[in-house]
Amino acid sequence: MSRIWTTALSLVLLVSATAGCYHTIIESGLPPGPVGYQGDWETGWIVGIVPAEVDATAVCGGPWSRVETQQSFLNGLVSMLTLGIYAPHEVTIVCAAGGSDRQP
């Protein structure tokens, strides 16, 4: 009976450790304008070591204000089920207001 509990506890700890969510915000200091891009399933590989490449300057056609990256519970679950080989995440890019020429 104790082996079942040990296995169950190990499984719960493994799932909670690998399906964690993260949230990162990078701000350029420019005033925010419209949301230029929002992707819910951007492809990353090898536990996020090889991230998806979304060019914020190209999306906004100039300077950007904020880039936000996060892994939702569902993204983390998919990453866990693929043993971290496929690591999707959400990306939101907010363009700078007013079309300033100052680059971040």
Side-chain angles (χ1 to χ4, degrees), residues 24 36 51 94:
T24 304
V94 178

Side-chain angles (χ1 to χ4, degrees), residues 1 15 17 19-23 30 32 34 48 59 66-67 71-73 78 80 84-85 89 94 101 104:
M1 184 67 144
V15 168
C21 301
Y22 68 83
H23 189 191
L30 298 174
V59 166
R66 185 177 73 220
V67 176
Q71 185 178 48
S72 67
F73 175 77
V78 169
M80 183 197 65
I85 296 170
H89 53 276
V94 178
D101 291 333

Side-chain angles (χ1 to χ4, degrees), residues 5-102:
W5 285 109
T6 304
T7 303
L9 180 60
S10 298
L11 183 61
V12 167
L13 290 175
L14 178 67
V15 168
S16 65
T18 59
C21 301
Y22 68 83
H23 189 191
T24 304
I25 298 174
I26 301 171
E27 294 183 341
S28 68
L30 298 174
V35 172
Y37 179 79
Q38 186 162 1
D40 292 334
W41 287 91
E42 292 301 319
T43 300
W45 301 100
I46 311 171
V47 196
I49 294 173
V50 181
E53 293 186 24
V54 181
D55 187 357
T57 304
V59 166
C60 292
W64 50 271
S65 175
R66 185 177 73 220
V67 176
E68 185 174 350
T69 304
Q70 64 183 356
Q71 185 178 48
S72 67
F73 175 77
L74 190 56
N75 294 146
L77 183 62
V78 169
S79 180
M80 183 197 65
L81 292 175
T82 63
L83 301 176
I85 296 170
Y86 174 64
H89 53 276
E90 300 175 0
V91 175
T92 303
I93 298 172
V94 178
C95 299
S100 171
D101 291 333
R102 190 177 80 181

